[in-house]
Amino acid sequence: MSLSLLRSHSRTCPSCLRPWGGLSGVPELEVEALSPINLLLERSLLPPRPLEAPEPNLSPDLKKVNCSPQTFRCTLSSIPQNQALLNKARLPLGLLLHPFRDLQQLPVITSNTIVRCRSCRTYINPFVTFLDQRRWKCNLCYRVNDVPDEFMYNPVTRSYGEPHKRPEVQNATVEFIASSDYMLRPPQPAAYLFVLDVSHNAVESGYLKFFCESLMDNLDKLPGDTRTRVGFLTFDNTVHFYNLQEGLSQPQMLVVSDIDDIFIPSHDSLMVNLKESKELVKDLLTSLPGMFSQTKETHSALGPALQAAFKLMSPTGGRVTVFQTQLPTLGAGSLKSREDPNQRSSTKHLAPATDFYKKLALDCSGQQIGVDLFLLSSQYADLASLACISKYSAGSIFYYPSFHYIHNPAQLEKFQKDLDRYLTRKIGFEAVMRIRCTKGLSIHTFHGNFFVRSTDLLSLANVNPDSAFAVQMSIDDSLADSSLACFQAALLYTSSKGKRRIRVHTLCLPVVNQLSDVYAGADVQAITCLLADMAIDRSITSSLTDARDALTNAVVDLASAYKSNVSNLQQSGLVFPAALCLFPIYILALLKQKALRTGTSTRLDERVFAMCEFKTQPLQQLMRMVHPDLYRLDNISDQGALHLNNTVIPQPHLLHLSAETLSRDGAFLMDCGNVSFQYNLFITHSAGMWFFKGFSQNVRDHVYFSSVFSSSLNHIPELGTPLSKRVRAFLDWLQDNRAFSSMIHVVKDDTSAKATFFQYLVEDQSESASSYHEFLQHIQAMSK
């Protein structure tokens, strides 16, 4: 039987594939996932819609209550019974978490008693076992616990005697209102300190005016309550504080010129109650852009400014937002340029040049201070060193290369949209997150921005809905006595309203003893993202070459393991299970990313920022970066459309990232997620659209696309034509499914446009990686 016939036949006859393992759950799904595909012959691999997470092979009741894969997912949706089986599979075991993401529905539970296991402290969840109405068995450590009397009452049904119907047992994601037992001190108020670079370079870039306008517009939207506190600090070669105490007629500037021994000139009037001092804050925001408009000072004392911010925020904790436009040159933390254009692919300068920013970040973390960094730089600023201030204080990093309010309007628009989202998104203060897992499993390594307080506990001074984390796992003891493995992430934080809360996510997965089941449940996108984190660590500790080789070897190892242990087809070619057929494409695309590609075209700061993004972005956003979604729009229709809120949302098919997919008579949209811009054509957080010049006459005559060509390069006109409505509905829907705003940039057919567009295609020749077919041949040769 030929391979193509076998694949077609296997979809209708599951018994044909029984030699590939003991399939134990939903046979149709698992057989399809295990169908062997010869990648050297198969060209149509991409599904028509964005890839969904594999569905764990669980009973319908458990599936219904399991945690959403957008919040909590595992690289393997079937957990190997032991480490030997995991090693044999040649796949990584790990978790990807998006624990504080925005949720439309979240059960919030107020109870005097939060029920937890007395042994391992696991929160009661849908996967525990009730032995009777008075006892429950922990699904992580298997201890039998008593059911408290209060738990016998169900606040939803208002009935007694049904503990298994309580909301915390019916939902895998819940949030508890915490009692005083979960507080080391009274909940802190929302506190925000803005640290602003006002050197000549900063003033020239023009960011200050737009920051002040954005904050002015969003003052009433800052998360908080009547206790919310704000403060401002500016710096060049000195550090400037601002007295905003209620009762003053105008803000007062206090200058500290001794940057080698920084001190706080006043402790009572620099962090003020926003409600009481709002008019003074508005006066300051109105006057700030003009105060330094004539400055000639070119130095930057960022380190002393951060030291001052630490002293100012230590009594309460909170969020420090830093805006920096150049290399710090004065005082503690001063840096010198380390970038050599001829050595950009070297990992020599990917590590920080000083430990000043890491040490300060750890001090900040200890005082519940998170530091977010906005770097708006037209030149090298040593982000490898500066990023430490956010990495170890659980902060966020935003980077705008070549930022200028006149010369780079696209970056300005992105900055404004990002800032609006940043200022108004929810925030959690003084947070910790603990990850627990079934007995026999353990945590190996964490990835993200945090401070590791213990083997399973992360300290998060601030937590936001746009940050994610990854965890590498290992299997210490056999899970042979378990049919299920569970993971639980508990995030304890203080809300902006001063409430102590615990958000709990629980994930349940089956335990399997067959290698075929492991492959059938493999999550190829989660595997790719975890391997990216591991490769980034390796590039810093070893070399970029080692990291790239490790990614390639991951594909080789999988091909060899599948061929040797699961597939019994005696056939030439490169055979992969269907569940993992996109793995080589994703790895090749990963090798083309700025974080990991070779060559000298990638600036050092841009490489470091790309690495930071891989460590902190949610999976969906990461996958758009790694393997952008490509759609054709000129023939978009309502066939297969979604109907949401009386709106028809077209669903065009995904196209392969291949030059052969494109045609000169079409219009295409490439949704790239967080890609750094090239030649001012693709904008960060953007979806880039490319229109070819060679439209057929009937398309070019269409009023919609004629308007697109006559419009600016980052605006799609809103017209009343059916095509215009469909395209805009689709673009709006794409935007609604991500946190930060995306910009549309229309790229016309010219040499530089092609260079920009084609770098995202998997099927092309580039300085970084071979074509997809050549890559597959290389994998085949190595796996023999």
Side-chain angles (χ1 to χ4, degrees):
M1 183 182 293
S2 70
L3 180 64
S4 59
L5 287 175
L6 179 59
R7 288 190 64 234
S8 175
H9 185 54
S10 68
R11 292 190 175 104
T12 58
C13 183
S15 62
C16 290
L17 286 184
R18 282 176 188 154
W20 283 293
L23 306 180
S24 55
V26 184
E28 295 82 1
L29 294 178
E30 292 197 341
V31 166
E32 179 65 22
L34 280 173
S35 299
I37 297 178
N38 186 343
L39 297 184
L40 291 173
L41 300 177
E42 183 67 59
R43 301 290 293 175
S44 299
L45 298 174
L46 201 66
R49 300 280 183 260
L51 198 63
E52 299 286 344
E55 194 173 77
N57 183 13
L58 298 169
S59 68
D61 290 341
L62 293 183
K63 281 184 184 178
K64 184 172 64 175
V65 296
N66 212 359
C67 195
S68 166
Q70 292 182 314
T71 300
F72 205 169
R73 64 199 289 178
C74 185
T75 57
L76 304 176
S77 61
S78 295
I79 304 299
Q81 194 176 82
N82 51 55
Q83 186 66 38
L85 185 60
L86 177 61
N87 294 341
K88 198 174 183 181
R90 308 298 290 176
L91 291 172
L93 176 61
L95 306 171
L96 280 77
L97 294 92
H98 191 180
F100 202 56
R101 74 182 184 96
D102 292 320
L103 296 172
Q104 293 183 342
Q105 293 183 331
L106 175 65
V108 178
I109 299 168
T110 303
S111 176
N112 293 328
T113 304
I114 297 176
V115 180
R116 304 175 65 180
C117 175
R118 287 183 297 168
S119 178
C120 68
R121 306 302 293 158
T122 292
Y123 294 83
I124 198 167
N125 60 79
F127 311 107
V128 304
T129 303
F130 282 92
L131 303 181
D132 52 46
Q133 288 196 348
R134 288 295 180 179
R135 296 179 302 157
W136 64 277
K137 186 177 181 180
C138 177
N139 54 315
L140 266 63
C141 73
Y142 311 122
R143 174 169 181 153
V144 176
N145 298 270
D146 295 330
V147 175
D149 290 338
E150 182 184 352
F151 203 73
M152 296 299 292
Y153 175 72
N154 189 336
V156 176
T157 62
R158 296 184 179 182
S159 60
Y160 288 89
E162 295 180 320
H164 60 283
K165 293 185 179 180
R166 289 267 304 196
E168 53 265 64
V169 187
Q170 292 292 313
N171 298 276
T173 292
V174 296
E175 187 155 285
F176 297 97
I177 304 298
S179 64
S180 58
D181 296 341
Y182 294 85
M183 304 176 194
L184 296 177
R185 63 176 185 176
Q188 71 169 73
Y192 306 106
L193 176 64
F194 299 95
V195 180
L196 308 167
D197 181 357
V198 292
S199 64
H200 174 75
N201 191 66
V203 172
E204 170 63 19
S205 75
Y207 91 89
L208 189 58
K209 172 180 179 292
F210 297 97
F211 160 75
C212 292
E213 289 178 354
S214 181
L215 183 54
M216 184 86 79
D217 293 341
N218 290 297
L219 267 182
D220 294 331
K221 300 177 185 177
L222 286 177
D225 55 17
T226 57
R227 301 185 304 155
T228 300
R229 298 163 64 85
V230 297
F232 297 86
L233 188 156
T234 59
F235 66 96
D236 41 31
N237 65 327
T238 58
V239 180
H240 325 120
F241 300 84
Y242 296 88
N243 183 348
L244 300 170
Q245 192 168 30
E246 183 186 15
L248 292 175
S249 59
Q250 63 182 19
Q252 294 179 348
M253 178 193 286
L254 307 172
V255 180
V256 175
S257 57
D258 186 1
I259 59 174
D260 293 324
D261 188 18
I262 198 74
F263 63 92
I264 306 299
S266 170
H267 284 277
D268 300 326
S269 58
L270 304 181
M271 290 294 298
V272 296
N273 183 283
L274 176 58
K275 182 178 180 181
E276 296 171 355
S277 300
K278 183 175 290 186
E279 293 308 314
L280 285 173
V281 171
K282 289 182 177 180
D283 288 346
L284 178 63
L285 293 175
T286 302
S287 58
L288 258 181
M291 290 170 59
F292 301 94
S293 60
Q294 303 302 316
T295 184
K296 303 298 182 184
E297 182 55 58
T298 58
H299 286 293
S300 169
L302 174 63
L306 289 172
Q307 290 176 323
F310 170 71
K311 293 182 177 182
L312 198 55
M313 294 288 280
S314 288
T316 59
R319 184 178 74 188
V320 175
T321 307
V322 181
F323 294 83
Q324 174 72 2
T325 65
Q326 62 178 340
L327 199 70
T329 55
L330 291 178
S334 62
L335 300 167
K336 295 181 179 180
S337 179
R338 299 187 292 161
E339 182 175 52
D340 180 352
N342 297 319
Q343 298 292 323
R344 284 175 174 164
S345 63
S346 168
T347 55
K348 181 178 179 182
H349 301 311
L350 292 179
T354 172
D355 62 359
F356 169 81
Y357 295 98
K358 178 178 180 179
K359 287 183 176 180
L360 183 57
L362 295 178
D363 290 339
C364 286
S365 180
Q367 297 300 318
Q368 305 297 342
I369 303 167
V371 184
D372 297 330
L373 175 64
F374 283 76
L375 181 59
L376 309 99
S377 177
S378 58
Q379 55 194 351
Y380 174 71
D382 199 351
L383 185 57
S385 298
L386 299 184
C388 292
I389 192 66
S390 299
K391 178 179 179 181
Y392 295 101
S393 68
S396 301
I397 301 170
F398 301 83
Y399 178 47
Y400 307 87
S402 303
F403 179 89
H404 194 279
Y405 76 109
I406 294 176
H407 301 144
N408 200 337
Q411 284 283 42
L412 172 61
E413 183 180 354
K414 170 180 163 35
F415 172 65
Q416 290 176 299
K417 290 184 176 182
D418 287 356
L419 192 56
D420 286 344
R421 162 70 179 175
Y422 171 81
L423 293 172
T424 57
R425 71 187 182 185
K426 69 184 179 185
I427 185 172
F429 298 101
E430 48 188 351
V432 292
M433 182 169 68
R434 192 182 298 273
I435 301 173
R436 298 178 173 89
C437 48
T438 290
K439 186 177 180 181
L441 298 169
S442 65
I443 295 171
H444 182 272
T445 307
F446 290 103
H447 299 278
N449 287 0
F450 47 75
F451 169 63
V452 181
R453 190 176 293 182
S454 67
T455 55
D456 63 350
L457 184 67
L458 302 181
S459 176
L460 307 170
N462 293 173
V463 61
N464 70 77
D466 302 322
S467 291
F469 307 87
V471 183
Q472 289 173 241
M473 308 290 297
S474 58
I475 305 174
D476 297 334
D477 299 314
S478 173
L479 304 175
D481 295 333
S482 308
S483 60
L484 300 174
C486 291
F487 308 87
Q488 187 176 87
L491 177 69
L492 172 65
Y493 71 98
T494 298
S495 74
S496 59
K497 305 292 186 183
K499 300 293 185 182
R500 203 72 172 136
R501 291 175 171 242
I502 312 162
R503 186 170 297 190
V504 179
H505 308 285
T506 310
L507 175 67
C508 179
L509 299 173
V511 174
V512 298
N513 59 9
Q514 297 280 346
L515 192 58
S516 57
D517 292 344
V518 176
Y519 286 137
D523 186 336
V524 65
Q525 292 191 340
I527 290 169
T528 301
C529 292
L530 183 61
L531 286 175
D533 287 340
M534 296 164 65
I536 287 167
D537 283 351
R538 188 159 185 170
S539 67
I540 296 173
T541 59
S542 181
S543 71
L544 191 60
T545 300
D546 283 352
R548 291 171 58 85
D549 288 346
L551 288 173
T552 301
N553 289 336
V555 185
V556 173
D557 291 345
L558 175 60
S560 300
Y562 177 73
K563 183 177 181 180
S564 301
N565 300 310
V566 180
S567 173
N568 63 357
L569 290 177
Q570 300 300 317
Q571 159 160 352
S572 61
L574 187 60
V575 181
F576 270 67
L580 291 160
C581 67
L582 293 176
F583 189 45
I585 290 181
Y586 287 158
I587 294 300
L588 178 57
L590 194 57
L591 293 172
K592 294 171 179 278
Q593 296 298 305
K594 286 187 176 182
L596 294 164
R597 71 186 182 198
T598 56
T600 59
S601 63
T602 305
R603 295 181 178 180
L604 190 55
D605 281 347
E606 292 181 9
R607 186 186 297 279
V608 171
F609 178 63
M611 290 179 168
C612 294
E613 285 192 301
F614 272 106
K615 286 285 194 173
T616 59
Q617 291 289 323
L619 179 141
Q620 287 181 314
Q621 191 73 346
L622 280 179
M623 288 310 302
R624 289 193 193 102
M625 293 166 54
V626 173
H627 192 271
D629 294 332
L630 179 63
Y631 305 94
R632 182 165 181 165
L633 295 186
D634 58 288
N635 59 1
I636 193 170
S637 70
D638 292 339
Q639 184 175 359
L642 298 176
H643 295 265
L644 301 174
N645 300 322
N646 299 319
T647 302
V648 178
I649 313 295
Q651 296 292 291
H653 284 191
L654 284 176
L655 304 177
H656 283 271
L657 293 179
S658 171
E660 67 184 16
T661 302
L662 307 175
S663 63
R664 296 189 61 84
D665 62 349
F668 299 85
L669 172 75
M670 183 180 283
D671 185 359
C672 306
N674 293 0
V675 299
S676 297
F677 79 102
Q678 297 285 334
Y679 312 112
N680 290 334
L681 297 175
F682 285 83
I683 314 303
T684 47
H685 289 289
S686 70
M689 185 180 289
W690 191 24
F691 291 100
F692 289 79
K693 284 181 178 176
F695 279 114
S696 60
Q697 186 63 34
N698 64 325
V699 177
R700 182 172 283 287
D701 286 343
H702 198 294
V703 64
Y704 179 65
F705 285 112
S706 297
S707 297
V708 168
F709 272 94
S710 63
S711 68
S712 65
L713 290 185
N714 57 6
H715 174 68
I716 300 298
E718 185 172 356
L719 304 177
T721 65
L723 184 56
S724 173
K725 291 179 180 178
R726 291 190 190 107
V727 170
R728 294 189 67 83
F730 179 60
L731 295 179
D732 290 343
W733 178 76
L734 287 178
Q735 176 55 53
D736 290 341
N737 284 282
R738 68 193 70 201
F740 287 91
S741 296
S742 298
M743 291 177 290
I744 297 297
H745 202 83
V746 180
V747 181
K748 299 181 181 179
D749 184 18
D750 56 47
T751 303
S752 61
K754 287 181 179 179
T756 301
F757 191 85
F758 274 86
Q759 72 170 306
Y760 298 106
L761 301 180
V762 174
E763 279 285 358
D764 79 312
Q765 298 284 346
S766 72
E767 64 175 345
S768 304
S770 62
S771 72
Y772 176 56
H773 189 72
E774 290 174 342
F775 183 69
L776 293 180
Q777 290 179 324
H778 176 61
I779 297 300
Q780 182 189 29
M782 292 182 65
S783 61
K784 287 183 178 179

